[in-house]
């Protein structure tokens, strides 16, 4: 069903990375449905993610290099405005969360249920893959859109993607109820990991970050202990509290220092989950401690099959993501939002960009 023609203007506004630390809101053609399985969304909210900011400040993540100009953004919540003839389960006016990964559905990885490592995947806002979602309108396959219940706001809905990654990390871990865990790096993903682990019955939870305001949010999210490595020897402090070591450490900072700390604070047989995205291309690990302790290393690549359960966790009140949302911006202020997140300023955890309202009137 098409949305009112008056809504169409031919062009829309979208955020483009145009150089290192350069972001502009530019006019670009409105997307059209390309297959009957597609839907068109009016984007309401977009969360600013650490990976977006990597592209903004460094122009690359590892071998994924931005060719400017490139659209950006992937943590989107929107409202369906047009439904392809074969797009099942969605109707005009429905609010949805976007799973930003479009899988091919044909490769060995897709066939074995690993859509997240699909060999021909396209991820929103990834260089050369799919256009970023920080835009007034976005065309997506219907299967990538998950309806959200009425009592979840579009701001909460924008937190579903990071929460899904955290939930996936928790599910990949071997933690049992009562497990003692650490989360090193308490940005949005680290804090979501804390929430997911507490929901799964973690016992004591130890959280670190370089930004004191983030530790304060971690405490509000239920952390047993939170420390800043700039002012506290976090390895010694955790060792004093838990001399036998921890069961699982979720490395969510992507820093050499946090990888080293993880090896130190784990107990023999413990597990390190590598969730953070390093700016470095190579990291090192203290192989002898790693070996003697027989530490298990688990890499976490985004998420798989965790979007619907993440919606359910927010919907049921199992987790409260509200303390993570610290700042709000309009799409015109997107550069301000990116600069804030890039500079870790003003206690920012999750900055939300409100997009809808800027693209004419929409009446269903
Ligand atoms: Zn993200
Ligand atoms: Zn595939």
């Amino acid at each position: 069903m098409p949305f009112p023609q008056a809504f169409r203007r031919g062009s829309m506004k979208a955020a483009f990375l145009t150089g290192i630390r350069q972001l502009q809101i530019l006019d670009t053609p409105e997307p059209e449905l390309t297959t009957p399985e597609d839907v068109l969304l009016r984007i309401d909210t977009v969360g600013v993610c650490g990976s977006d900011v990597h592209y903004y400040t460094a122009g690359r993540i590892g071998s994924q290099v931005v060719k400017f100009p490139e659209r950006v953004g992937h943590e989107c919540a929107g409202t369906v405005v047009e439904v392809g003839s074969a797009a099942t389960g969605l109707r005009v006016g429905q609010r949805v969360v976007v799973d930003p990964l479009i899988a091919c559905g044909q490769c060995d990885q897709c066939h074995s249920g690993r859509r997240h490592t699909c060999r021909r995947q396209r991820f929103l806002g990834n260089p050369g893959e799919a256009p970023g979602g920080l835009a007034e309108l976005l065309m997506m396959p219907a299967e990538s859109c998950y309806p959200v219940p009425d009592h979840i706001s579009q701001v909460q809905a924008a937190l579903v993607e990071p929460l899904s990654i955290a939930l996936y990390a928790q599910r990949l871990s071997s933690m049992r109820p009562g497990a003692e865990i650490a989360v090193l790096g308490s940005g949005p993903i680290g804090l979501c990991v804390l929430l997911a682990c507490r929901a799964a019955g973690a016992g004591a939870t130890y959280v670190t970050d370089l930004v004191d305001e983030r530790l304060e949010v971690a405490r509000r999210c239920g952390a047993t202990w939170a420390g800043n490595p700039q002012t506290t020897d976090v390895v010694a402090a955790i060792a004093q509290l838990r001399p036998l070591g921890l069961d699982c450490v979720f490395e969510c900072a992507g820093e050499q220092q946090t990888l080293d700390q993880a090896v130190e604070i784990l107990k023999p047989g413990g597990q390190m989950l590598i969730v953070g995205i390093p700016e470095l291309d190579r990291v090192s690990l203290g192989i002898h401690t790693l070996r003697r302790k027989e530490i298990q290393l688990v890499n976490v690549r985004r998420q798989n099959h965790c979007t619907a359960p993440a919606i359910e966790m927010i919907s049921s009140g199992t987790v409260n993501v509200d303390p993570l949302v610290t700042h709000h911006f309009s799409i015109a202020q997107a550069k301000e939002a990116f600069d804030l997140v890039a500079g870790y300023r003003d206690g920012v955890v999750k900055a939300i960009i409100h997009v809808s309202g800027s693209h004419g009137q929409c009446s269903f």
Side-chain angles (χ1 to χ4, degrees):
M1 197 202 305
F3 63 93
Q5 277 304 311
F7 190 76
R8 288 258 188 215
R9 293 196 304 227
S11 72
M12 63 161 184
K13 301 218 176 294
F16 287 81
L17 299 178
T18 53
I20 300 290
R21 288 187 186 265
Q22 289 178 38
L23 184 153
Q24 289 179 44
I25 307 302
L26 300 174
D27 284 312
T28 189
E30 286 176 337
E32 302 285 341
L33 302 188
T34 52
T35 80
E37 288 82 23
D38 291 331
V39 296
L40 189 67
L41 306 176
R42 177 194 75 193
I43 297 300
D44 297 320
T45 50
V46 180
V48 179
C49 177
S51 65
D52 300 329
V53 169
H54 272 283
Y55 288 130
Y56 175 65
T57 58
R60 63 187 276 260
I61 296 176
S63 59
Q64 288 175 302
V65 181
V66 179
K67 285 197 190 82
F68 302 110
E70 186 101 53
R71 279 173 55 185
V72 69
H74 61 269
E75 298 180 1
C76 322
T79 304
V80 178
V81 290
E82 197 171 315
V83 181
S85 57
T88 48
L90 294 175
R91 55 177 171 72
V92 169
Q94 196 160 31
R95 292 190 303 121
V96 296
V97 163
V98 173
D99 173 353
L101 185 133
I102 303 165
C104 79
Q106 309 290 329
C107 73
D108 62 319
Q109 296 293 300
C110 285
H111 282 309
S112 62
R114 295 180 50 91
R115 285 169 45 90
H116 64 310
T117 51
C118 168
R119 295 179 192 271
R120 287 185 290 274
Q121 64 178 263
R122 298 187 304 125
F123 193 85
L124 296 188
N126 254 22
E129 296 184 13
L134 183 45
E136 289 178 309
L137 297 169
L138 185 69
M139 196 259 296
M140 287 300 287
E143 64 168 11
S144 303
C145 302
Y146 291 73
V148 292
D150 289 342
H151 60 279
I152 292 186
S153 72
Q154 289 302 69
V155 170
Q156 292 167 326
L159 268 294
V160 166
E161 198 262 349
L163 181 63
S164 71
I165 292 169
L167 180 61
Y168 179 60
Q170 184 275 318
R171 288 182 173 186
L172 275 188
S173 80
S174 55
M175 68 160 276
R176 298 196 180 90
E180 295 181 338
I181 66 143
V183 178
L184 306 182
S186 56
I189 295 286
L191 290 165
C192 284
V193 167
L194 171 65
L195 292 173
C197 288
R198 283 183 36 81
T205 50
Y206 300 85
V207 179
T208 68
D209 203 273
L210 297 172
V211 180
D212 284 330
E213 288 100 329
R214 292 187 168 185
L215 298 175
E216 210 33 67
V217 179
R219 289 186 194 101
R220 270 193 277 146
C221 291
T224 312
W225 180 94
N228 186 333
Q230 284 178 323
T231 49
T232 307
D233 181 341
V234 296
V235 170
I238 294 172
Q240 198 165 30
L241 292 163
R242 286 291 177 271
L244 297 179
L246 304 180
D247 298 297
C248 292
V249 175
F250 296 82
E251 196 289 311
C252 298
E255 299 287 342
Q256 182 62 54
Q257 190 188 20
T258 38
L259 291 164
D260 292 338
Q261 291 162 354
V263 174
E264 292 301 319
I265 61 181
L266 278 165
K267 65 166 56 161
Q271 193 179 46
M272 172 172 16
L273 293 105
I274 302 177
V275 190
I277 301 176
E279 289 219 4
L280 301 165
D281 290 334
R282 283 176 178 270
V283 295
S284 68
L285 289 164
I287 188 65
H288 294 297
T289 314
L290 205 65
R291 184 175 67 75
R292 285 190 204 107
K293 284 189 178 179
E294 202 180 48
I295 286 170
Q296 293 178 31
L297 293 180
V298 178
N299 281 282
V300 181
R301 177 59 168 157
R302 298 196 190 115
Q303 62 90 18
N304 195 20
H305 302 302
C306 284
T307 305
I311 293 171
E312 174 53 29
M313 284 173 88
I314 296 175
S315 173
S316 62
T318 309
V319 300
N320 177 13
V321 292
D322 295 345
L324 277 62
V325 179
T326 53
H327 292 75
H328 297 270
F329 295 90
S330 69
I331 187 167
Q333 299 167 312
K335 184 176 187 323
E336 232 175 282
F338 274 59
D339 284 331
L340 180 81
V341 175
Y344 300 91
R345 283 187 281 114
D346 196 25
V348 64
V349 178
K350 182 58 78 183
I352 301 287
I353 298 175
H354 295 256
V355 181
S356 69
S358 49
H359 193 84
Q361 289 303 309
C362 193
S363 51
F364 323 112

